[in-house]
Amino acid sequence: MLIWFVVLYLMVSIGIGLYAATRVHNVKDFAVAGRHLPLPVVTATVFATWFGAEAVFGVSATFVKDGLSGVVADPFGSSMCLIIAGFFFAKKLYKLNILTLGDYFRMRYNRTVEVLTTICIVASYLGWVAAQIKALGLVFSVVTDGGISETAGMILGAAIVLTYTTFGGMLSVAILDFVQMGVIMGGMLFIAWFISGSTGGVMPVIEHASAAGKFEIFPEPDPWKWLTFIGAWVTMMLGSIPQQDVFQRITSARTAKIAIWGSVLGGSIYFCFTFVPMFIAYSATIIDPATFNEMIQTDHQRVLPTLVLSHTPIFAQAIFFGAVLAAIMSCSSATLLAPSVAFSENIIRIYFPGMGDHAFLRVMRITIVCFTCIVLGFALWSNASIFKMVENAYKITLAGAFVPLFFGAFWKRATTQGALCAIFGGLLSWILVELLIGEASLVPPKLMGLFVSMFGIVAGSLLPQWIGHSTPHPDLHAELHHLAAAETHHVTDKPHHH
């Protein structure tokens, strides 16, 4: 019965996604859902940005093992990312009327910066999407009691998500996110209520976790431990801002005001709701401490699904796994779409500037298929946990893309030379410290990359100006808006040329 329920849910999801595909007529519909989504849909799709495999399995399992200090990156950093993106970047980027973040980097700097940052953004999705695929394999394996192996489950899950994402694009993603948000929240709250009946209520679980030190979030008063703590927090909070899926979800809104508040509300709801799977997973250590304490040490990602399968009736299992599938699919579909759109728009289009809209839409769909195959191969090969895959994904954008985005938006004197110094300096310092020193480094490699990137953009922008080789543009921000008006071909049905 559980298997048939899962099959039925997947068929309905694919049906909704394919129905949305009938309303996709051009690149604008495919990439940013035509830019006419209302506030509830934008809020739902922003919430779904993060509420996927890592929130259900990764964050909850890490909390059971390490407490709040282990999940400072997610949900604390990731939810702040969405709130910061809403308040500080949504309006600026929405008004430019562009398809990708790469378009912004080209308009603000030049084509070289566009290509380099796009490569960073696309590369960061490898681990993120692989984590979603890995979680789908885990769900199928657990639901079928090993009848479908995790490997086969990954292949099946990737094929299902690929189907409706390839045809429907962002419109399918947004509609499914809105439907699945209800399934996720209702299903998770019901399971939490049901499980609390076996623990004597909510408070005994909270008191048990508090007594075990699970609510201690800050490290000891040691400056180097604080740097590690800040590094984990900043990686997700800032490294996730220059991400194409965050950008697409925000700019799919009908107005700039909806873009701002949809991002802020989605991030706030995500932060609050992530504690529900944490509560459910921690309840396992009270209900059956012998079994689950051992599982925490061996395979902590299975704590939550094993608890539901062994301590709830079949209808509760159906609700739980329906909610889990909703969460993972809504997250993985957008994260397959985002890097594919960015790569097509900011890399492939360079070589085919005269390509028409319908031909370019076909290229985007082919790119999604290729990227899915690469991600699936990485998911099958990697032995990293779901949480680690997600946490590691954003180191490259923190070191190579965040500083050019932030300084480009808020510092008028930032130049192309400065952006290039920031990209190369940030990436090289991060990679060198990671390879040569690794975890032994007193300053985390990702923070070293961020610091060098910030120094690079300031020095690279100001030094040429001081020695008279270049002068800052009198009003770069006004120029951006002028360029935005000239680049509306990106979101029309007409062919265009660079």
Side-chain angles (χ1 to χ4, degrees), residues 117-202:
T117 51
T118 298
I119 291 171
C120 288
I121 291 168
V122 171
S124 72
Y125 279 97
L126 192 61
W128 172 254
V129 187
Q132 313 308 313
I133 301 300
K134 210 174 186 71
L136 284 172
L138 176 63
V139 171
F140 286 126
S141 176
V142 170
V143 166
T144 60
D145 196 21
I148 296 178
S149 67
E150 287 196 32
T151 299
M154 289 185 210
I155 297 170
L156 177 61
I160 292 169
V161 175
L162 176 65
T163 300
Y164 67 79
T165 307
T166 303
F167 288 101
M170 190 62 204
L171 198 57
S172 287
V173 169
I175 293 173
L176 273 171
D177 284 350
F178 183 68
V179 173
Q180 291 170 337
M181 184 180 178
V183 176
I184 293 164
M185 299 187 79
M188 287 292 174
L189 288 172
F190 174 80
I191 292 296
W193 170 79
F194 190 91
I195 289 295
S196 67
S198 301
T199 61
V202 175

Side-chain angles (χ1 to χ4, degrees), residues 331-345:
C331 187
S332 55
S333 56
T335 49
L336 276 178
L337 177 68
S340 304
V341 168
F343 188 81
S344 302
E345 170 71 6

Side-chain angles (χ1 to χ4, degrees), residues 4 114 186 265 320 356 377 385 413:
W4 281 111
E114 170 195 10
L265 288 173
F320 172 78
S385 70
R413 300 187 72 180

Side-chain angles (χ1 to χ4, degrees), residues 385-448:
S385 70
I386 292 169
F387 188 81
K388 279 297 176 187
M389 275 186 166
V390 171
E391 190 178 17
N392 292 334
Y394 297 112
K395 292 179 180 179
I396 186 171
T397 44
L398 178 69
F402 172 73
V403 168
L405 174 65
F406 179 81
F407 279 77
F410 296 103
W411 191 43
K412 292 184 178 182
R413 300 187 72 180
T415 65
T416 299
Q417 299 100 309
L420 291 172
C421 289
I423 294 167
F424 285 113
L427 290 175
L428 287 174
S429 57
W430 162 59
I431 292 170
L432 287 175
V433 175
E434 191 86 62
L435 292 177
L436 299 179
I437 307 176
E439 296 301 322
S441 173
L442 293 176
V443 179
K446 51 201 172 188
L447 271 189
M448 184 69 75

Side-chain angles (χ1 to χ4, degrees), residues 100-107 110 114 117-118 121 244 342 346:
T100 67
L101 277 174
D103 291 342
Y104 167 80
F105 285 115
R106 181 182 66 253
M107 293 166 65
N110 68 0
E114 170 195 10
T117 51
T118 298
I121 291 168
Q244 180 62 21
N346 302 115

